[in-house]
Amino acid sequence: MASKWDERNKEIYVYIDGEIVERSKACLPLWDSGFLHGKQIWSSPRLINGKVFRLMDHLDKIQHGIKAMNCKVVPSNDEFIDAIRQALIANKMQGASDVHIRIIFTPGSQVTASMNQKAIVDWDGTPSKPRIIVMPEWRGGVYSKSEKAILSQYYRRPSPEYADQRIHSNNQIHSSLACDEASQAGVAACFLLDSNGYLAETHASHMAIVKDNVFYTPKVRCCPPGVTRKVLLELCKDHSIEAHEDDIVVDRLYDADEVMIMGTMSGPIAISHVDNKVIGNGQIGLVTENLQKLYRTATLEDRHLYDILAC
């Protein structure tokens, strides 16, 4: 991976509970329901030239999780947007690019450490005020132009039979363990299968394969829907690139002409090797290269950008 720490983030400001706070002084109560029981929903759009790329898609993802958790008090999109705006202004990010914006929701603080929704109240019994946190940070390219990956030997994505896996919650233990597996192998990504043996995603992003110039990406059952994935499917449709959401077995991964991963800060990134097996000719494929160009163009188009600081 190409990323490295940006020293500017030492002095970053965050938004929490309606206030702007220095990173080093930001805190939340121990009785916060997100901290105690993982009742935390989040998404992370990117800032491009001072505008947020596909912001409403990210807010849709957050709202889906809030409603799926049956939260009693649901903040409006305008409340999230105002919090994001305040955080960006506090960090003087007007006109900035290469900014990753972590938006977090929790239902609020509890009166006791219980999983019961009834505990998420103030001492007078009224529902707790939801907690909105916004953590912008400077972040450049996460990956190199071409990367290597492995298929996890130990972990799988949970089935939707257990819970709605489209909830973008803070329960990332499967992904974190797979990330460690990738790090120990010295590669950028770890592919995860679902409980049926189909490809689900990588530890940190969605993925796709290309065979005979056709783009295939796994069906979204065992992970949250990705915004970058959605954009790439739209680009395929708009530019006559045949694309399908499909159940993809491991043999198709190894036999693909091209493999790519896709993330918020990177867009599509070519995978040259999986488990030390060369993918295609080991170079960036034509479909991947085309989608990279189309994606870069899309990130600069006004129809995808929310001018949050002009509101």
Side-chain angles (χ1 to χ4, degrees), residues 78-305:
D78 286 344
E79 291 176 84
F80 282 108
I81 290 168
D82 182 63
I84 298 166
R85 183 185 299 114
Q86 290 190 48
L88 295 176
I89 291 173
N91 288 289
K92 298 180 172 60
M93 290 173 169
Q94 296 92 329
S97 294
D98 293 333
V99 174
H100 179 272
I101 309 168
R102 180 100 166 195
I103 309 164
I104 301 170
F105 163 90
T106 84
S109 296
Q110 306 186 186
V111 292
T112 186
S114 167
M115 287 185 290
N116 197 313
Q117 288 275 8
K118 294 179 181 179
I120 310 174
V121 293
D122 294 331
W123 287 102
D124 62 2
T126 59
S128 293
K129 182 179 180 180
R131 180 160 284 115
I132 296 176
I133 304 168
V134 181
M135 301 161 54
E137 59 178 331
W138 302 100
R139 189 185 295 186
V142 178
Y143 299 106
S144 300
K145 290 183 178 180
S146 180
E147 294 280 8
K148 296 180 180 181
I150 57 171
L151 183 68
S152 179
Q153 299 180 46
Y154 310 109
Y155 312 111
R156 293 197 176 197
R157 285 292 304 168
S159 166
E161 295 176 356
Y162 308 134
D164 181 357
Q165 300 301 325
R166 295 171 301 163
I167 300 174
H168 206 194
S169 75
N170 200 39
N171 185 4
Q172 295 182 286
I173 189 63
H174 304 86
S175 298
S176 295
L177 291 170
C179 180
D180 291 341
E181 189 179 358
S183 295
Q184 291 167 13
V187 298
C190 183
F191 292 116
L192 291 160
L193 302 177
D194 65 18
S195 59
N196 295 316
Y198 298 121
L199 284 164
E201 61 170 356
T202 78
H203 72 276
S205 68
H206 285 273
M207 57 83 62
I209 66 171
V210 176
K211 186 66 177 180
D212 297 328
N213 295 317
V214 179
F215 176 97
Y216 299 94
T217 189
K219 294 178 180 178
V220 176
R221 284 190 298 259
C222 300
C223 51
V227 175
T228 307
R229 174 184 180 275
K230 180 179 179 179
V231 173
L232 291 181
L233 285 169
E234 291 174 0
L235 290 172
C236 286
K237 181 178 180 180
D238 293 344
H239 295 273
S240 300
I241 300 170
E242 186 176 347
H244 302 278
E245 298 175 88
D246 202 4
D247 291 327
I248 303 172
V249 296
V250 174
D251 286 348
R252 288 176 64 191
L253 172 67
Y254 294 139
D255 189 50
D257 300 324
E258 306 173 37
V259 174
M260 69 186 82
I261 58 177
M262 53 195 82
T264 299
M265 301 302 292
S266 63
I269 295 294
I271 295 296
S272 63
H273 296 70
V274 179
D275 293 336
N276 292 319
K277 295 179 174 65
V278 178
I279 300 299
N281 61 9
Q283 304 299 313
I284 300 176
L286 293 178
V287 174
T288 302
E289 187 175 38
N290 188 21
L291 286 172
Q292 287 174 336
K293 293 175 181 177
L294 292 171
Y295 183 81
R296 283 194 295 268
T297 298
T299 62
L300 301 176
E301 293 176 352
D302 284 341
R303 64 193 178 102
H304 297 299
L305 298 170

Side-chain angles (χ1 to χ4, degrees), residues 56-76:
M56 301 316 294
D57 286 322
H58 286 277
L59 293 181
D60 286 347
K61 186 159 51 170
I62 290 173
Q63 293 289 2
H64 171 82
I66 294 172
K67 290 168 185 173
M69 286 201 309
N70 300 308
C71 297
K72 301 303 181 185
V73 184
V74 180
S76 67

